[in-house]
Amino acid sequence: MDKVKVLVVEDNQRWQDTFARKFGQDFQLLQATTIEQGEELFLANPDIGIVVMDACVPGDDPNTMNLVKKIRETFVGKMIASSSVKDYREILMAAGCSHQCPKNDLFEKFPELANA
C-alpha cells in the first residue's frame, strides 16, 4: 500500500526535522519551508492526502492564509492548522483548514488527526 503524502509547510527547520524523524517511515513527506515552495509542491503532487500548515512562513505574523485558500480551491482532504498561537490557528481555520493543533502537540496528535 502506498504511503499517504503529507505536505508540511513550515519554515522552522527543527520542526521539519522532527516531523521527518517521527513520521517519515509512515508517510511520504513533502516539506516546504516557504509559501512559494508549498504552492509548487502542492501543484506538482495532486495526490496529497494531508496538509500541515504553519501560520507564519517565514516570520512572526500570519501570512499563509492565501495559500490555504488557494489549496482549498481544489483540495478536499485534511488541512491541519499548526501554530503555537491559538489566534493564528483560528485565522487558518477561517481561511479553510479543517483541523487545528498546537505545534507542541502536533507530533503526539498527528496520527490521530491523520486517521480521523
Side-chain angles (χ1 to χ4, degrees):
M1 188 168 98
D2 290 338
K3 293 180 183 179
V4 173
K5 279 188 184 178
V6 178
L7 172 60
V8 181
V9 181
E10 166 63 62
D11 62 318
N12 184 302
Q13 193 59 52
R14 183 175 59 89
W15 288 112
Q16 286 281 17
D17 292 346
T18 302
F19 212 91
R21 189 174 64 253
K22 292 197 177 242
F23 301 109
Q25 298 291 345
D26 300 320
F27 297 91
Q28 182 181 347
L29 300 181
L30 305 172
Q31 296 180 288
T33 56
T34 67
I35 291 171
E36 297 77 17
Q37 192 178 35
E39 184 174 356
E40 289 171 13
L41 285 170
F42 177 76
L43 293 173
N45 293 276
D47 56 343
I48 288 173
I50 301 170
V51 176
V52 176
M53 185 71 65
D54 183 21
C56 309
V57 179
D60 298 320
D61 295 313
N63 60 3
T64 58
M65 295 79 67
N66 286 338
L67 179 58
V68 169
K69 290 175 184 174
K70 188 174 280 191
I71 289 173
R72 254 312 159 216
E73 290 174 6
T74 58
F75 182 70
V76 297
K78 294 175 190 154
M79 192 179 310
I80 303 167
S82 172
S83 174
S84 301
V85 180
K86 184 177 190 286
D87 289 347
Y88 293 178
R89 292 192 308 271
E90 290 175 1
I91 289 169
L92 291 182
M93 292 291 290
C97 284
S98 57
H99 299 76
Q100 63 173 305
C101 185
K103 205 176 283 194
N104 287 333
D105 296 340
L106 183 62
F107 302 108
E108 178 183 323
K109 295 189 180 217
F110 182 77
E112 172 188 329
L113 290 169
N115 294 314

